[in-house]
Amino acid sequence: QLQLVESGGGLVQAGDSLRLSCVVSGHTFMYTMGWFRQSPGKEREFVAAISWSGGSTSYTDSVKGRFTISRDNAKNTLYLQMNSLKPEDTALYYCAAGSMNTRSQTYPYWGQGTQVTVSS
């Protein structure tokens, strides 16, 4: 059974940066992985995904040029570097494993989420 634990969220001001981390344990880390986010009253939204080697990445349009997904396979850790944060980035951020698809249903493993709040 794969366990995913996110950290790094917090309350920041617009324009600030945050780096989210997701530590994976319980099995091999050699999964494709992704980040999603969900705001109150909204559906869970794809943010970014990365291949198991890190050589392929994808992003939703609203974060391109601001967010960077990466991974350190030696540390079993997935990252999301978020720069130039905007109030609309406020959400609960989840890491997920098992797919590079934009559809959340294709990911069998999920963390509990870390809250990111961006004030204007």
Side-chain angles (χ1 to χ4, degrees), residues 6-7 15 26 30 43 45 64 91 98 100 104 110 114:
E6 304 95 334
S7 63
M30 305 311 286
E43 293 187 355
E45 174 192 24
K64 285 180 180 177
M100 271 196 75
S104 61
W110 290 86
T114 185

Side-chain angles (χ1 to χ4, degrees), residues 35-75:
W35 287 99
F36 286 75
R37 64 187 181 186
Q38 188 167 20
S39 303
K42 294 186 178 181
E43 293 187 355
R44 195 166 295 189
E45 174 192 24
F46 171 78
V47 176
I50 189 168
S51 62
W52 69 268
S53 69
S56 178
T57 59
S58 64
Y59 298 90
T60 192
D61 286 345
S62 62
V63 308
K64 285 180 180 177
R66 299 189 299 123
F67 291 12
T68 302
I69 188 171
S70 63
R71 64 193 296 162
D72 185 337
N73 289 344
K75 296 182 178 180

